[in-house]
Amino acid sequence: MSSCVSELVVHDEAIRENTARFAELTGGRVMAVLKADAFGHGSIAASVLAAGACAIGVTSIAEALALRASGIDAPILSWLNSPDADFALAVTAKIDLAVSGAYLLHAVALAARAVGSVARVHLHVDLGISRDGCPASEWAQLCALAHGYEVAGVVRVVGVMGHMSCADVPEHPQNARERLIFRNAVRTARRRALAPRLLHLAGTAATLTGVGAGFDMHRIGAGLFGIDPSHSTSFLRPALTLTAPVVSARDAAAGTGVGYGHDFVADHATHLALLPIGYGDGLPREASGQAEVLARGRRRPIVGRFSMDMLVVDTGDDRLEPGESVTLFGPGDAGEPTVAEWATWSHTIEHEIVTHVGSRVARVHRTIERAHCAEGVPS
Ligand SMILES: *Cc1c(COP(=O)(O)O)cnc(C)c1O
């Protein structure tokens, strides 16, 4: 396969299969988390909804509005906004809003009143991650305030959410503590006359390890894209392949230094191939000296320090042809490096590799149906 540009191929059928697996696992309670451009995978909202997701979750209102504008009419939840965000636009577009503090609830209620509508709200309680939920000490007050706005007819509390901090380690004692805090928070909300129907605290790890089981919805992000943060399963399929074309190739004599600082010096005669992709396209510079590619069916080391726009590959006895395609990462089926290997090489997690691929790389969606893929996927 050859192409004149670097390409990020998105395997839509892998994402659909993963979604269907989570729909099965959760009894059809999947909210597909498509923040950060669907973890770098682009426009896949219609695919995940067709494959069994029943709602979509994103971080900002801007992300939610973009999905609505693209024709998605499923429920969409946006969970992180500053008080000056455009809540009026969100309410008008029927975007559910997570609210984690009184100041936010005031802003949401004001906006709903201004547009003559009712804001659908998920109250977000901090279970112990000390990040974006409402501190437990302010929870009862937030519930009381929400009830006041419900009576005034501008807010309806449809859900209560939390987010677990240690779900990738199922035996961590924090998991039981956080489930208890969540149940108590729901009880407090009910005591304040709220009637949330959608209770949710599990992401991918909590769903796969089971520590987030028993509630109404599962917010699945990483897992849709073949990433298991708990490393406890092997049935998810990675959904990206990154390729780059060879732009030039050359002979290199023993003693040839490559790249800034000559971190690599060839100790024997070899061949080098130049790829037009670098850390400016999201490939972590920290992987310099470790990373490999698949070229002509074999693993070859990337040599020398990564540059912003280019990488040099040591192709040994083979001199590649300009225009030949080289695979930087993929599902691993043909022996190419995986995103998980790139994460190891650069001391990070797979999420960071997939969300960093830059805008110079063309996204190509490929839908190759596999024989058993259609089973269990509602149309
Ligand atoms: C990102 C995110 C998720 C999804 O988490 P995954 O581990 O990727 O499934 C769920 N909930 C919240 C609040 C998030 O920020």
Side-chain angles (χ1 to χ4, degrees), residues 3 99 171 281 284:
S3 159
V99 168
E171 64 280 8
D281 302 290

Side-chain angles (χ1 to χ4, degrees), residues 17-161:
E17 265 187 45
N18 294 334
T19 306
R21 295 302 291 270
F22 279 100
E24 252 170 62
L25 270 176
T26 63
R29 296 161 182 202
V30 173
M31 170 181 278
V33 177
L34 305 184
K35 61 192 182 187
D37 199 25
F39 287 55
H41 293 64
S43 308
I44 51 113
S47 288
V48 297
L49 290 167
C54 54
I56 291 175
V58 290
T59 306
S60 67
I61 288 174
E63 291 174 299
L65 292 174
L67 285 165
R68 273 282 179 271
S70 77
I72 299 297
D73 55 12
I76 302 177
L77 170 64
S78 159
W79 54 68
L80 191 63
N81 294 288
S82 62
D84 62 350
D86 201 335
F87 293 120
L89 220 48
V91 172
T92 303
K94 303 201 183 324
I95 308 297
D96 289 8
L97 296 163
V99 168
S100 58
Y103 61 101
L104 281 168
L105 191 57
H106 289 312
V108 169
L110 209 65
R113 187 172 284 140
V115 298
S117 190
V118 182
R120 284 168 49 95
V121 161
H122 298 234
L123 295 181
H124 184 182
V125 62
D126 179 24
L127 304 179
I129 197 167
S130 307
R131 214 177 54 170
D132 48 342
C134 174
S137 58
E138 298 166 27
W139 180 249
Q141 215 180 344
L142 180 63
C143 291
L145 191 65
H147 178 60
Y149 281 128
E150 278 199 340
V151 171
V154 288
V155 159
R156 195 151 69 82
V157 176
V158 297
V160 170
M161 70 182 273

Side-chain angles (χ1 to χ4, degrees), residues 5 14 53 81 120 135 185 226 245 270 318 329 359:
V5 294
N81 294 288
R120 284 168 49 95
T270 188
D318 290 330
F329 59 70
S359 57

